[in-house]
Amino acid sequence: MNRVFSGIQPTGNIHLGNYLGALRQFVELQETEECVYCIVDMHAITVPKPAEQLRESILDVAALYLAVGIDPEKSIVFVQSDVGSHAELSWILTCSSYTGELSRMTQYKQKSKNQESAPTGLFMYPVLMAADILLYDTNVVPVGDDQKQHIELTRDLAIRVNGKYGEDTFVVPEGRFMKSGARIMGLDDPTSKMSKSAENEYSRIQLLDAPSKIKKSVMRATTDNVGAINYDPENQPGITNLINIYSAFTDHDPQEIVAKYQGEGYGTFKKDLVEILTDNLAPIREKYEKIRHSDELTSILKDGAQRADAIAQKTMERVKKNFGLGIR
Ligand code: AMP
Ligand code: TRP
């Protein structure tokens, strides 16, 4: 059985990109693997926010994890800062990382906007992510395409440390990416990825959106003036993105969808997509409402933190021994 680890930041509302790129894999994998799913609150403070808001967002994301089908009987679900070893291992890895490789991370370059001085947390972000993964002797990391570079860095760090401190120090993990859904684009602009922080709320569909918002977002989605449903990422990126979403929810492959809508206009296709989305997201919203303010939610997270901590402690003992750290 493989160990699976992944995390999502408790910021804003989780959208279709997060669901199709990451969360859907989380649910699938728990049937066959040993899964650990984290709410990465320490990554969230790389961009400071009010304490009250962060605490609410942690619970929002935890409730969404459960609402999409993560089963706490099968998977460990916990909050990153509840397990102290994440920060501890992050420092140890920092000492094997280089400023050059960190400054080449695309996400860092985008977020720091190439300014000469940027928040150090943004710079160190991928090292903390590597610590998250390596702490659990992870074999597989299900994520969206945008995390590929961070996974590569994690592998590089693991291999480098193993070479210096002993091959048994870390398990070298692999990323796992979906065929359709690994990169869902903005509905208003199919050249940039769907994001939690884009200003235009109609650029994304959030898992908890009301049917009216889903409808508006899809009907307004940018297409083109070709006027035919084709799977053509280059020339018809807008409609192609919608086909990808359709495909991910129905398990029909893109070419089947294209064939089905031959001779139809964008309106008919979009109306059907609205129905598919509304039907699929309704049960998630219902389950979320039930669990979000329940005591069960906090007890699941506390129990998850204990189980995660037990695994983390073992890894830290081995790592500290290999590095010659500590005396206990
Ligand atoms: P984040 O929103 O950055 O915390 O991302 C959480 C997870 O969702 C990560 O595995 C991302 O790779 C994935 N993800 C975020 N945006 C998208 C997108 N537009 N398409 C596919 N996956 C995404
Ligand atoms: N960096 C990831 C993102 O923005 C979130 C994350 C943090 C993560 N730690 C992780 C994902 C460990 C997978 C494994 O999406």
Side-chain angles (χ1 to χ4, degrees), residues 42 79 84-85 97-98 143 176 205 308 324:
M42 295 205 296
V79 181
S85 312
S97 68
Y98 290 92
V143 277
R176 185 180 190 270
I205 292 173

Side-chain angles (χ1 to χ4, degrees), residues 222-263:
T222 302
T223 49
D224 51 61
N225 47 26
V226 176
I229 317 279
N230 295 312
Y231 193 81
D232 183 348
E234 189 123 326
N235 301 308
Q236 293 181 255
I239 207 74
T240 299
N241 187 39
L242 296 180
I243 293 175
N244 277 332
I245 295 172
Y246 191 119
S247 166
F249 276 104
T250 57
D251 281 336
H252 295 311
D253 67 54
Q255 288 315 326
E256 261 175 81
I257 298 165
V258 170
K260 178 171 175 190
Y261 288 95
Q262 232 186 12

Side-chain angles (χ1 to χ4, degrees), residues 5-9 18 22 26 38-40 43 80 86 107 111 125-126 128-133 138 141-144 146-147 150-151 154 193 196:
F5 182 96
S6 195
I8 293 190
Q9 288 193 56
N18 302 131
F26 295 8
C38 185
I39 297 144
V40 292
H43 280 99
Q80 186 186 31
H86 289 255
Q107 190 171 304
K111 291 200 172 166
Y125 179 110
L128 178 59
M129 176 164 164
D132 297 341
I133 296 168
T138 303
V141 189
V143 277
D146 62 339
Q147 296 301 312
H150 291 160
I151 303 288
T154 303
K193 69 166 186 173
K196 286 173 180 166

Side-chain angles (χ1 to χ4, degrees), residues 202-326:
Y202 296 104
S203 69
R204 63 183 164 263
I205 292 173
Q206 293 161 182
L207 297 189
L208 301 176
D209 275 349
S212 58
K213 159 86 187 330
I214 298 174
K215 185 169 176 193
K216 247 191 197 164
S217 314
V218 172
M219 297 319 275
R220 283 182 183 191
T222 302
T223 49
D224 51 61
N225 47 26
V226 176
I229 317 279
N230 295 312
Y231 193 81
D232 183 348
E234 189 123 326
N235 301 308
Q236 293 181 255
I239 207 74
T240 299
N241 187 39
L242 296 180
I243 293 175
N244 277 332
I245 295 172
Y246 191 119
S247 166
F249 276 104
T250 57
D251 281 336
H252 295 311
D253 67 54
Q255 288 315 326
E256 261 175 81
I257 298 165
V258 170
K260 178 171 175 190
Y261 288 95
Q262 232 186 12
E264 301 279 4
Y266 296 150
T268 310
F269 171 78
K270 281 181 164 181
K271 261 195 211 130
D272 288 355
L273 181 58
V274 170
E275 205 177 303
I276 291 166
L277 288 172
T278 315
D279 289 353
N280 277 279
L281 298 184
I284 295 178
R285 221 172 37 167
E286 276 162 33
K287 187 149 182 218
Y288 176 89
E289 299 297 345
K290 263 195 217 139
I291 196 143
R292 171 63 179 81
H293 295 286
S294 68
D295 293 337
E296 195 193 346
L297 185 61
T298 37
S299 70
I300 287 170
L301 293 173
K302 282 185 190 160
D303 174 62
Q306 273 180 5
R307 289 159 68 198
D309 195 46
I311 305 173
Q313 294 284 349
K314 274 201 187 148
T315 311
M316 286 313 297
E317 256 176 51
R318 189 181 71 229
V319 170
K320 287 170 81 172
K321 179 170 153 276
N322 286 9
F323 274 79
L325 287 164

Side-chain angles (χ1 to χ4, degrees), residues 93-112:
L93 289 171
T94 295
C95 298
S96 285
S97 68
Y98 290 92
T99 52
E101 61 192 350
L102 296 182
S103 58
R104 280 194 295 276
M105 294 290 121
T106 316
Q107 190 171 304
Y108 168 70
K109 286 198 274 190
Q110 278 166 356
K111 291 200 172 166
S112 65

